[in-house]
Amino acid sequence: AKKHGGDRIEVFRPAMRSDQPDRLALEADLRRAIERDEIKVLYQPIVRLEDRTIAGFEALVRWDHPRLGRMSPRDFIPVAEDSGLIVDLGLSVLDKTTRQLVTWQRLVESDPPIFASVNVSSRQLLRHDLIHDLKGVLSRSAVAPGSLKLEITESLVMENPEYAAQMLIQVRDLGAGLSMDDFGTGYSSLAYLQRFPFDTIKIDQSFVRQNGSGARPVILRSIIAMAHDLGMDVVAEGAETDADAAELFALGCEYAQGYAFGEPMTAEEARRLIAGPVRL
Ligand code: C2E
Ligand code: CA
Ligand code: CA
Ligand code: CA
C-alpha cells in the first residue's frame, strides 16, 4: 500500500501501472478531453472564520468521461502528471480561474480582494517553465498577482529541493501567494517550511473532520501556533459542520474550507454566492 494525499491509503492496483492498456486508453481520452476543452473547473469557497465572509476560492478540476462518467481528479491527475499532460491542463486551469477571478473582483470590492487558489503539481513546477506561464496568465487577465495563490503539495518537490526552492522564490517574487497543501500528511514536513517561501498552511482535512479523538484539538492548536509564529496564515480543510468551524475559530485558525460552507461549485454558482448575502 502506498500513502497518497494523506487522507487515504491507496492500494497499488495493477490497472494503475503506466504500462497497462487501461492507463494508456485513459491517457488518450484525457489528451482528447484537454484538446476539446472538456475539463471543467469548480470553485470551493474559502471562508474567513471571524465574520464568515468569502475570502477566496480553490479551483478544483472535474472531468466527465464519456463512458466512465464523472472522474475524480485523484484518478486522472496522476495520469496527467505521468504523461506530461498536466502542463497543458494546469495552464488551462490557471487561465480559467484568473478569468473568473476578474469577474468576482468586479462584483464586490473587498479589502483584501477575493483571491483564487490553484493546485500546482510539482511536475509543473519542476519540469516546465511555470514562471513563464504565470506571467502570461497574470498579464492576460490583469489580475493583481497577490490575488492568485498556488497550492503545492507533492513529495516530488523534495526530489530536487534546491531547484524547487528557486522556482518558488520566483513565484513569490512575482507577488503570488504560496500555500502548503495537505499540511501534516506524510509528504509534507517541517523541512519544507524552512526551505520554501510559503505564506499559508492548509491543514489537511484528516486533522479537521470530526473523528472523536482527544488529540485532535492539541494537534490543531500546535499547527496553528507554529504557523502563526512563522508568520503564516492557516486554512483548515474539510470543515464539514458548523461545530468544526466554531472549534477551528476558537483554536485561532483564520480561514476554513469545507462542506460546512459549500461544496465545489460552478463559476456561475460562485458568482451568485458572491453577489448575494456574503455571510456563510
Ligand atoms: P486537495 O487539493 O486536497 O483538495 C481538497 C479536496 O477535498 C477536494 O477534492 C474537495 O472537493 C474535497 N473537500 C472539500 N471540502 C470537503 C469536506 O468538507 N469534506 C470532504 N470529505 N472533502 C472535502 P477533489 O475536488 O476531489 O480533489 C482531489 C484532489 O485532486 C485535490 O486535493 C488536489 O490534490 C487534486 N486536484 C484537483 N484539482 C487539481 C488541479 O487543477 N491541479 C492539480 N495538480 N491537482 C488538482
Ligand atoms: Ca488531501
Ligand atoms: Ca489543494
Ligand atoms: Ca488539500
Side-chain angles (χ1 to χ4, degrees):
K2 149 181 151 177
K3 203 151 189 329
H4 184 273
D7 36 25
R8 60 179 196 157
I9 303 287
E10 188 176 72
V11 176
F12 193 72
R13 280 169 282 140
M16 295 296 283
R17 285 175 46 179
S18 54
D19 55 351
Q20 296 293 309
D22 305 27
R23 179 82 174 215
L24 287 178
L26 200 59
E27 184 184 318
D29 292 346
L30 184 59
R31 186 182 307 275
R32 201 172 312 118
I34 293 170
E35 280 164 13
R36 296 179 181 171
D37 198 24
E38 287 169 359
I39 309 290
K40 302 269 176 308
V41 184
L42 296 185
Y43 303 92
Q44 186 177 35
I46 298 173
V47 170
R48 212 173 272 112
L49 285 170
E50 180 185 38
D51 55 6
R52 307 245 172 147
T53 53
I54 295 171
F57 288 90
E58 177 178 4
L60 295 159
V61 289
R62 295 290 180 269
W63 177 24
D64 292 318
H65 189 280
R67 273 173 299 107
L68 303 172
R70 174 149 293 192
M71 293 195 53
S72 163
R74 293 195 199 282
D75 292 325
F76 68 85
I77 291 287
V79 177
E81 286 180 334
D82 289 352
S83 58
L85 290 169
I86 191 70
V87 172
D88 282 350
L89 178 58
L91 182 56
S92 132
V93 175
L94 275 170
D95 245 323
K96 291 192 164 96
T97 303
T98 46
R99 265 187 275 130
Q100 291 307 326
L101 186 55
V102 171
T103 68
W104 298 334
Q105 291 187 345
R106 279 196 194 122
L107 277 175
V108 281
E109 242 171 71
S110 54
D111 185 27
I114 287 182
F115 66 82
S117 202
V118 175
N119 293 286
V120 171
S121 140
S122 50
R123 230 156 261 248
Q124 282 170 274
L125 191 71
L126 296 177
R127 312 215 199 302
H128 185 72
D129 197 352
L130 179 72
I131 303 302
H132 174 267
D133 283 358
L134 263 182
K135 284 181 180 160
V137 157
L138 288 170
S139 71
R140 275 197 292 284
S141 63
V143 138
S147 304
L148 184 63
K149 298 181 192 292
L150 302 186
E151 301 194 1
I152 313 281
T153 176
E154 294 264 345
S155 62
L156 275 171
V157 171
M158 290 311 266
E159 252 179 31
N160 195 341
E162 283 76 25
Y163 184 68
Q166 271 180 40
M167 294 293 288
L168 293 180
I169 287 165
Q170 288 185 64
V171 172
R172 186 202 53 196
D173 289 349
L174 273 179
L178 277 173
S179 298
M180 182 185 201
D181 206 352
D182 297 347
F183 186 80
T185 62
Y187 288 156
S188 65
S189 83
L190 297 177
Y192 270 110
L193 294 181
Q194 282 193 320
R195 282 175 191 263
F196 303 125
F198 291 104
D199 52 70
T200 302
I201 283 178
K202 292 192 77 172
I203 304 180
D204 190 68
Q205 42 188 272
S206 55
F207 295 102
V208 176
R209 275 143 58 184
Q210 290 290 349
N211 59 11
S213 154
R216 189 179 74 138
V218 178
I219 293 169
L220 286 174
R221 190 179 295 113
S222 309
I223 297 176
I224 293 163
M226 182 200 60
H228 289 167
D229 284 348
L230 291 168
M232 298 184 209
D233 288 335
V234 184
V235 179
E237 299 186 316
E240 294 191 340
T241 63
D242 207 59
D244 290 340
E247 183 181 359
L248 287 163
F249 182 59
L251 291 170
C253 182
E254 44 268 282
Y255 303 100
Q257 176 182 356
Y259 300 158
F261 301 112
E263 294 187 20
M265 58 186 78
T266 64
E268 175 54 25
E269 287 165 333
R271 210 189 56 78
R272 263 183 270 139
L273 188 65
I274 294 166
V278 282
R279 277 175 67 95
L280 290 178

